[in-house]
Amino acid sequence: MALLTLVPLLAVVWMAVTPQPEIWQHLWNYVLPRVLGNTLLLMLLVGVVVSVVGVPLAWLTAMCDFPGRKFFSWALVLPLAIPAYVLAFVQMGIFEYAGPVQSFVRDVWGNSRWFPDIRGSLWGLVMVLVMAFYPYVYLMARSAFLTQGHRSIEAAQALGYSPVQAFFKVSLPLARPWIGAGLALVLMEVLADFGAIAVFNFDTFTTALYKSWFDLFNMTAAAQLASILVLVVLLLLAAEQRSRSAQRFHVSNPQRHRVVLKGARRWLALVACASVFAASFAIPMVQMLVWVGQIWRENLHSDYWGYVWNTLCLALITAAVATVLALLLSWTRRRHPDGLTAWTVRLAVLGYAMPGVVLAVGVFVPIAWLDERLLALLAPLGIESLGILKGSLAGMLLALAARFLAVAYNATDAAMQRITRSQEEACASLGLGPWQTLRRLHLPLLRTGLLSAFLMVVVDVMKEMPITLMMRQFGWDTLAVRVFQLTSESMWQEAALPALAIVLVGLLPVILLVLQTEKTPTSAG
C-alpha cells in the first residue's frame, strides 16, 4: 500500500537523477527563473496576508465577546467548502470590466478606467488564495487561543497591558507553533494550487508543469519540474513537522470567560469578521446563485447529467478503494505498533501532501513504461497500439487513491483508537483469530468512522481538478474539468452551475467539522 504513493514519487525522482542536459538547459534559461520567482513571491505574499487575516479573527472569536461572535466563530470556516478555482472565477466575474462592481462604478462616477484590472493581476490572485485558505490558520490559531487558559491574559492585564497588548505579548507567542503549522498547510496548498492560478493566467510550477505536458508535449520537462516541486514540498513538510514538535504547552486553566469589547472596538470587530465572511463566502455564493438562476434552463441538459455521473462514479470508486486501504493500514498498525510499520504507514499517506500535478506525472510515467512493455510483447500478434492503463480510468484511480488515502486513514484511525485493547483481548479469549476479530469486532465499531472516511474522500475527489484534468480519458469530463473548460473561455455564468454543485457537496464535511469543533469543551464560555 505504501508503494501506491512511493512509486509515483520514485518515478519523478528517477527522472530527476537521470536528467537530459538539453532539457535542464532550456528550463534554466526560459522557465525556472520565472516560475520559481513567481511561486516564491506568491507564497510569501499569501503567507503574510493570510496570517494578518486569520490570526486576529481567531483571537477575536476565541478570546473576545462582541455582537455576532457565536455566528462568526463557525461561519468563518465555511470558505473551506469553496475550492480556490471556484472562488477565483467568481471574483474574476465580479470585478472584471463587465462585472457588477465596475458597472456600478461607471453608473456613479461615469467611468471605471482608474479601477485596477483584475485579469492577470498578482494582487487579485493573492486575495483569492487568502480568502480560500485563511481558515487553515484561523482554525489552528483559534484552537491554540482556546486552550491557552485565561490566567496568562489576566496576568498581563494585572501588569497594565491592554487587551491588544496582551495579544502581542502573551497570546501570540504562546500560539506561534499552531500558527506555524496552519501557515505550513496554507503554503502547501498554494504550492499545489492549479485551478485558481490558471484562471489568473499566472505562471507557477503547477501551470508550467501542465503546459510542458499538454502544450509542449514534453513529458521529460514536466517530470523535471515535478521533481523540483517534490523537493519544495518535502522542505515544507519538514518545517511543519518541526513546528508541530514544538507544541509542548501545558493547559491548567482553560478559558472560561472572554474579554468584553466595548464602544467602537466591538463594532470594529463585527465589521472585520463580517467583511471577511462576505468576501470569502457570502458574496461568491450569492453571485453563483444569481448566475445559475439566469442560465440553468439552457445548461441543465443531458451533457450536464453526464458530467454529474462521471464525477459520482469516480468519487465513489476512489472513496471505496481508499477506505478499504485505510482500514487495512489502520488495522495493520494496530496489530504491529513497531517503528518500521509506523514509518511505512507514514509513507503510505504521504500522497496528500503532494500536489496533484506531481502525482499525475508520477503515475503516468510507470504506466507509460508498462504499456510500452506490453506493446512489445504483443507486437508479434499484429497489435500496434495499446493503452491498457495509459489514459484509462484505472490510471486516474491510482493517482486519486494515492492522493486521498491520508484523508480516509485519518478518519478511520481516529475511530480505531476508540476501540480498547480489552475488547480485542476478549475476542482472543473466545478463540477468534485476527480476521474474525476484524469482521466481528472492528468493522461494527468502525462503521461510523468508515462512513465519515468514505464521505470525506467523495467530497475531496469531486473538488479535485489537476489529476482528473491531466489523466482522464478523452471526452470523459467531470464537474471540476467542466469548470476548468468554461473558465478557460471566460464563461463565468456557465461555469457557475457545475461549481455550485461542487460547493454544495463540499459543505458537508465543513458542517461536520463545525459541529465537532462546537462540541469541544474549550469552546464553552
Side-chain angles (χ1 to χ4, degrees):
M1 287 182 281
L3 289 175
L4 185 66
T5 300
L6 289 180
V7 167
L9 295 183
L10 291 175
V12 171
V13 172
W14 175 257
M15 298 287 286
V17 299
T18 57
Q20 298 180 11
E22 64 277 7
I23 296 295
W24 274 113
Q25 188 65 35
H26 172 79
L27 293 176
W28 181 258
N29 291 337
Y30 302 104
V31 179
L32 279 180
R34 184 182 72 258
V35 299
L36 183 59
N38 288 347
T39 303
L40 293 178
L41 178 62
L42 187 62
M43 293 172 64
L44 174 64
L45 293 177
V46 173
V48 171
V49 180
V50 84
S51 300
V52 172
V53 173
V55 175
L57 291 179
W59 187 70
L60 286 173
T61 57
M63 308 294 286
C64 302
D65 196 11
F66 59 92
R69 181 197 61 80
K70 290 185 178 180
F71 170 75
F72 289 116
S73 64
W74 61 265
L76 289 171
V77 184
L78 293 180
L80 285 177
I82 304 181
Y85 59 85
V86 171
L87 189 60
F89 87 78
V90 173
Q91 298 288 14
M92 184 78 75
I94 291 175
F95 290 101
E96 69 175 358
Y97 181 82
V101 172
Q102 290 205 48
S103 297
F104 174 78
V105 170
R106 287 194 297 274
D107 291 340
V108 175
W109 283 281
N111 68 78
S112 61
R113 288 192 299 268
W114 54 270
F115 199 90
D117 185 12
I118 193 173
R119 285 182 176 270
S121 66
L122 177 60
W123 68 267
L125 177 59
V126 169
M127 295 313 300
V128 164
L129 294 180
V130 168
M131 292 298 101
F133 299 140
Y134 83 85
Y136 291 107
V137 173
Y138 169 79
L139 283 171
M140 296 294 288
R142 187 169 188 269
S143 175
F145 294 144
L146 286 171
T147 56
Q148 281 180 8
H150 211 271
R151 281 182 184 171
S152 56
I153 302 299
E154 292 174 346
Q157 291 177 335
L159 293 173
Y161 290 118
S162 66
V164 175
Q165 291 174 320
F167 166 74
F168 285 104
K169 296 286 187 179
V170 179
S171 298
L172 188 59
L174 288 176
R176 193 175 299 158
W178 284 266
I179 296 172
L183 188 58
L185 292 175
V186 170
L187 294 180
M188 284 190 284
E189 289 288 346
V190 173
L191 196 62
D193 185 80
F194 170 78
I197 293 173
V199 169
F200 279 84
N201 197 26
F202 190 78
D203 282 335
T204 63
F205 271 108
T206 53
T207 55
L209 194 155
Y210 178 82
K211 292 175 182 177
S212 298
W213 188 349
F214 286 93
D215 293 348
L216 303 178
F217 304 103
N218 194 329
M219 189 65 192
T220 304
Q224 306 293 357
L225 289 172
S227 65
I228 301 176
L229 199 53
V230 168
L231 176 61
V232 178
V233 170
L234 292 178
L235 291 176
L236 282 175
L237 280 175
E240 194 272 341
Q241 290 294 327
R242 182 181 179 86
S243 175
R244 188 185 298 273
S245 65
Q247 297 180 11
R248 293 291 185 269
F249 298 102
H250 175 67
V251 180
S252 58
N253 181 29
Q255 177 182 337
R256 298 300 179 189
H257 63 278
R258 294 180 171 85
V259 177
V260 179
L261 300 181
K262 299 180 180 180
R265 289 181 177 178
R266 65 200 307 254
W267 302 113
L268 287 175
L270 172 62
V271 169
C273 293
S275 299
V276 174
F277 174 72
S280 60
F281 184 80
I283 294 177
M285 285 294 294
V286 170
Q287 183 63 77
M288 279 193 289
L289 290 171
V290 170
W291 283 339
V292 169
Q294 294 172 349
I295 55 88
W296 71 271
R297 289 185 177 86
E298 294 80 11
N299 286 19
L300 201 60
H301 45 68
S302 58
D303 289 345
Y304 176 80
W305 295 114
Y307 306 141
V308 173
W309 172 255
N310 291 342
T311 303
L312 288 176
C313 286
L314 185 63
L316 293 174
I317 296 173
T318 305
V321 172
T323 303
V324 171
L325 293 178
L327 173 62
L328 294 176
L329 275 178
S330 180
W331 181 64
T332 302
R333 187 176 183 182
R334 175 84 168 192
R335 297 188 66 242
H336 303 280
D338 56 279
L340 180 60
T341 303
W343 272 104
T344 307
V345 171
R346 287 186 182 182
L347 292 174
V349 299
L350 185 62
Y352 193 67
M354 294 297 155
V357 291
V358 171
L359 288 175
V361 172
V363 170
F364 186 86
V365 169
I367 285 177
W369 178 86
L370 179 60
D371 276 347
E372 290 178 1
R373 304 287 84 75
L374 292 175
L375 178 60
L377 290 175
L378 297 177
L381 301 178
I383 300 177
E384 298 180 356
S385 62
L386 181 66
I388 296 178
L389 293 176
K390 186 167 59 178
S392 68
L393 180 62
M396 191 161 49
L397 285 173
L398 288 174
L400 289 171
R403 178 86 167 89
F404 298 116
L405 178 58
V407 177
Y409 173 78
N410 289 336
T412 303
D413 195 59
M416 182 73 76
Q417 298 304 320
R418 290 194 288 269
I419 300 176
T420 63
R421 294 290 183 182
S422 60
Q423 290 173 307
E424 295 175 337
E425 292 169 357
C427 291
S429 66
L430 295 173
L432 298 180
W435 289 102
Q436 292 175 311
T437 302
L438 175 64
R439 180 173 59 87
R440 302 182 64 176
L441 173 69
H442 293 99
L443 285 179
L445 295 179
L446 291 175
R447 190 174 302 162
T448 302
L450 292 175
L451 179 61
S452 299
F454 182 86
L455 292 177
M456 291 174 68
V457 175
V458 166
V459 173
D460 278 341
V461 173
M462 290 187 67
K463 294 162 59 176
E464 200 282 332
M465 177 187 288
I467 293 176
T468 311
L469 179 66
M470 298 171 73
M471 300 197 66
R472 76 192 194 282
Q473 294 177 346
F474 179 76
W476 203 87
D477 297 335
T478 63
L479 292 173
V481 171
R482 189 58 181 162
V483 170
F484 176 81
Q485 293 170 339
L486 293 171
T487 54
S488 299
E489 301 175 7
S490 299
M491 302 174 67
W492 317 128
Q493 288 183 323
E494 289 75 7
L497 184 59
L500 185 62
I502 294 172
V503 172
L504 292 178
V505 174
L507 280 172
L508 176 63
V510 175
I511 292 174
L512 294 176
L513 175 63
V514 168
L515 293 176
Q516 183 179 4
T517 303
E518 292 301 310
K519 288 179 181 178
T520 57
T522 53
S523 62

